Amino acid sequence: MEVLLLEIEDPGCFWVTMKGCGPYVVDEMEYKNLNAEMNQFYDKSYKDVDGVKPLTIEEGQICVVFSEELKCWCRAIIKSIMYCTDHYQTECFLVDYAKYIFVKSNDIRVALEAFMQIPYRAKRCRLYRTKPVTLRIDFFEGTAKIVPAKRWDSAATRYFQNLLKATTHMKAKLCAVEDNIFDVYLYVTIKDEKVCVNDDLVSKNFAHFEEAKENTWGSANYQENQTSLNIESLPVKSVNPARAFRPVLFQEKISTNLETGLAVSSSFQRSSTDLNESTACIVKAIPGLPVKENTAIHRDRLQQFLNFDLLKTHSIEDDEQSFQNLSEEKNFVFLSNKIEPSSNLETAPLFNDLKKELTRKKFLGPTFTESYCWPPVARGCDVVAISYQGNDPFLYIAPVLTFLQLGSCYKSLPNRSGPLALILCPGWKKAQLVFELLKTYERCSRQLHPMLIILGQNKEEARSVKIRGCEVIVTTPYSLLRLFEHHSLLFCRLCHLVLDEIEVLFSDATEQVFTVLDCYKKAIVTEEWVYSPHQIIAVGTRWNKHIAHLIKEFMNNPYIVITAMEEAAICGNVQQVVRSCMNNERTAVLLRILDFNHSNLQKVLIFTNSVNEAEMVHKALKSNSIFSLKIHKESEFNFKYILEQWTKKYSSGTRVVLVLTDDCMQSLGITDATCVIHFSFPSPRVFGQRLHSMSDNFCKVIKDSSVDQECTKAMSVILITENSACHALWILRYLQYAEAEIPPELHDFTAKMVEAEEDKKFSRPLCTYLKMFGICKNRTMCPDRHQINLQIDVPQNIPDKIIQAPGCVTILPLHIVNATNYFGRIVDKQKDQYTVLAEDINEYFKKPSNKISVKSVEKLAFYGLCEKTFYHRVQVVEISPKEEDNVFFNVKIKYIDEGRTSQVQSYQLLQLPAKFQCLPPQAVEFIVCRVKPIDNEIEWNPKVTHYINHKIKGKPHEAKIVHTLGNTAWVDPVVRVTRLSDLKMSVNEYNIRSEILSMGLGTDNPEHIMQLQKLCGHMKVLHHAENLEPLGMKEDTAGPESASNPQDMSAQENSSENCNSSKITFGNHPCGGVAQTAEADNSTLDQHKCFYPEIKWFQNEETVTVKVKIASATDCKCEFSKEKVVFSACSGDKPYLADMELHQYILAEQSTCVIKDEEAILVLTKEKKGVWLKLLKNKNPHLSFDFEHWEDFEDKSPFPVATSFFHQYDQKHLDSVAGRSKIQFSVKLTVCPSLCIWKTASLCTPLMSFRWDGQRN
């Protein structure tokens, strides 16, 4: 068709208006008439300007603005909003002229629906499958190549613009439509010569053709008069062209088939893409005009270019595959009663105002499951719906709202106060989301006055709830029963009971849910309910064994809709059988299964993953005289023949066996199999499809037991081998849900997998729920660590004196995460270093000359930041990708002295002098112990969090630290103390734990600390100083100047690679990271049983001798390298491992290892002669210096102070002093100017080379 150019950005984005005929082409006269009507209306409305002004403006809003250039009113879309001194300036895109203009917010007018009936005049186009290239220069190899690029370069854009400006005639061939963008072949006429612009750009190396998977299009030289855009070839009668590209705001959804593309919503609020569904309908209606994903270019077209191979790109199918996975449920549905689905919004059983509201909100639906759920729900029938999207409340909200509009249905109910509908949710968070969704769509219905009721254990709160006039209540089972205690007539008018996420309700609150059901059942047995509706709706993602009892006892002929086939198999009493064997034994096991004469083995499908497996199985069956068919993509039999053989009637007792690959399932469409044998282990995606092959034999009568042998008509046999690790954990959970018999081998196998998965998380942060409550309910899905890693969990930012002498400390909560989790500082009661530092920082930045903005922002670096009038130390934890034209960009920062995070602009960061970085980060995480949320909740109700936040934030509290790990301190109690200076006394205002309990939203959690101590192997973290072994010297990594550098500490916190550096641990701990004491039972720790041995070392000028203390060592191995030594051995049933990264280099080939009874001696030959100040690069709590060999080289000792002292005092003198006074004193061993270690010792202990300063400690 002929097109007229409006605007050019690049070959991937240019705007045209179309001429001629077609379902999406509007005559130019209609646009002129539209402009005249708009000008007349908006010019006359100047007297009542407020009546046509929008109440609010936002990006993406459709409006009408006046163009000074065009001198007329134009339809437009707001692209951006900028704030000026006295008004808002908006950038608007004129949708009929493809122009951008700036308009004041006061000059924007509301776009009336009457002016939005015809499509936008400007159509955005791009060259079909023509992608940009660029020249890549490799300076290292000295080569230059043309490679695909992400954006068009200026040379290609300039050439494209010049080519189009020089044309005298322009035509376009439409090939596809995606996101309201037309993909076209563009033909131009220049000096009577026709040129295909797509080909021209490729031939001149400005572009390349994107390779396609299918050969559906011919050459570019295809005759233009044969294009599919000719009006004669377009069957447009099924679609109103005026609706094709009308604005989404006013667009009504066009009737579409389910197969035209199903969008599955992952959130409760649906949103649509720019390409509306009516556009897709037009594309589907045009023969030869595919949508974007189904189009391709013939390979012959590209072979005309010499550099085809160079520019060849690979197609990526991940996104398409992902979409198919999400949409798989549309192919399968299990129904207990026949339902005619509502495949589109126009035919959906919803009231008209709700349909308009959904259209206005760009609702994409109904989904496949909704199309089957909505009709029975809207008719008031009982419904059970199990789907992959079963946690989406839109499965029931829209049809329930529709039914509630029928006021005449409720006239026979007693004239009392009480709800008509009750929605039970598994927790307060889901209840809040459902309530917000109800409030959103209640605006278009009659007034229902919905209420969200979340009650604690405070009886006064439940008594004070007023439900008069409320017709819909959203709550949880626990809250409902508390409310029912004080409102006995709660069920007297209840007609609709909705159970949201039924599997969670039955697993977490079984007793409470059945109590509610009993109350509802008793309420509807009276005579006045004979002519009133009573409906129960249960939706979820998984089948639960209690659903059968729900259906049998409380529902009346319910409609069961299950679109997750593996769940339908549980509901349909499919018998799940597991056989474990070695991979090479599968064929023998298969033959034994088929030898078993069972009624379920009449029509058997054997699924394999590959053609080779299918051939192997078929051959094995044939050799054992078992009649079988086979089908796979390379098979010589066609599907028609196989189906004829499968459906042929055989005599009783005759067995039909079909061996096939997974890719043949949908083509065959078999649903009457009686047995499925998974010869190849199924993935979750394939498992449900395989089970669908038996759907005709699913039991339609719901039994209380998950598998009733009398009702079982279908069987699924799974062969599990040593190669089934990939999906073994998933299949185990499914079999547990199905209550199938599980072989012990599978339990053992998956237990090892769970342990391996936990090992992968070893460098992750400790699980938040584990820290807050002592337990994580979903360890397998939780991404964080659930075991102690002493290399990470060493106390940080907590003063040593507090750890060594536990007691009451003053804490200052500054950032409240929830009711029991805070970040703040530990305040020194004598002299708080941070207070001094904060004063110095604020004094420093008062001078304008010191406020120097950072030019180059670095990740993990420290900066200053002004917040109101106070300056903070912050660390950059994440830098957002810079936009090409942006001078400033967003960065994510952490307030290292408060613990909170925030997003700021890069220009707000100030250079922080090094003197202000000396003090380590002060932020500590505090967790209040022995309290947790009520009702099995895993998150605190916002009500209690807001209360605690208001009460404690920024106020000092007295707390006792009972446990420390990493940067986290567990505190109990935490008390606000007010000092009355006049009376010289203190008053305890409140205890935080008691405050939470008094609100009724928290309950006692006595096992909190016990669980943490069990996790730590019952090690008392507070008293780890008592577990110190009498080591003379410990390895250190850096001197005092680096020890106080917060940059180093933050790097350790933010990088798992540094988890071995600068950490102090105590006692003899497993190297896997779980602490262990002599009394600890081995049964408490089964994850990591690899221990780190005690090591002592000494040296001379040429060698270093390392003694590894292991009694009766066996299986010893020692590996030497230039800068590392790895020693491993076993002692009894305990494995030991010492992985030592050396401070300096050694000669590996000259180093030796000698094993003795009580120890292993490693002699390391130094690469360079001299004295080593330390053995290892990093700290190690299990390493100490061996002073027994001090005299071997004391003349060349690196410890001159200690050596001289050894000769000044003899042992008799020391003994005489010890006899006079058994006191404690401090000794100081000077190793070098940057490394000092202090130790407390008794006077009666031989001091060897220690130096006594003669003063009391």
Side-chain angles (χ1 to χ4, degrees), residues 827-838:
V827 181
D828 195 321
K829 297 179 182 179
Q830 298 176 354
K831 182 179 180 181
D832 189 37
Q833 295 181 344
Y834 175 75
T835 303
V836 177
L837 178 68

Side-chain angles (χ1 to χ4, degrees), residues 1025-1150:
E1026 299 174 3
N1027 297 330
L1028 278 171
E1029 298 176 8
L1031 305 180
M1033 188 182 77
K1034 300 264 185 174
E1035 285 295 314
D1036 207 338
T1037 304
E1041 59 273 10
S1042 62
S1044 61
N1045 190 347
Q1047 188 111 7
D1048 297 338
M1049 297 184 67
S1050 299
Q1052 295 166 18
E1053 293 176 13
N1054 291 282
S1055 173
S1056 61
E1057 297 175 0
N1058 293 329
C1059 64
N1060 293 323
S1061 62
S1062 302
K1063 305 290 184 181
I1064 304 175
T1065 53
F1066 306 93
N1068 186 21
H1069 309 308
C1071 62
V1074 180
Q1076 184 114 339
T1077 60
E1079 299 82 20
D1081 190 344
N1082 290 335
S1083 62
T1084 62
L1085 298 169
D1086 56 359
Q1087 296 118 315
H1088 293 276
K1089 298 183 179 180
C1090 184
F1091 294 84
Y1092 208 108
E1094 179 188 347
I1095 300 174
K1096 291 190 176 185
W1097 73 286
F1098 61 92
Q1099 62 176 320
N1100 57 33
E1101 191 173 2
E1102 296 180 351
T1103 63
V1104 174
T1105 302
V1106 179
K1107 292 183 177 181
V1108 183
K1109 300 290 185 179
I1110 298 181
S1112 304
T1114 59
D1115 298 331
C1116 299
K1117 296 180 181 178
C1118 189
E1119 298 179 4
F1120 298 99
S1121 62
K1122 186 175 182 180
E1123 54 185 9
K1124 194 173 185 180
V1125 177
V1126 179
F1127 177 84
S1128 62
C1130 290
S1131 178
D1133 58 348
K1134 290 185 178 181
Y1136 286 85
L1137 175 67
D1139 190 345
M1140 297 174 282
E1141 190 174 357
L1142 302 175
H1143 173 59
Q1144 294 189 29
Y1145 296 148
I1146 64 171
L1147 299 175
E1149 62 277 2
Q1150 297 183 21

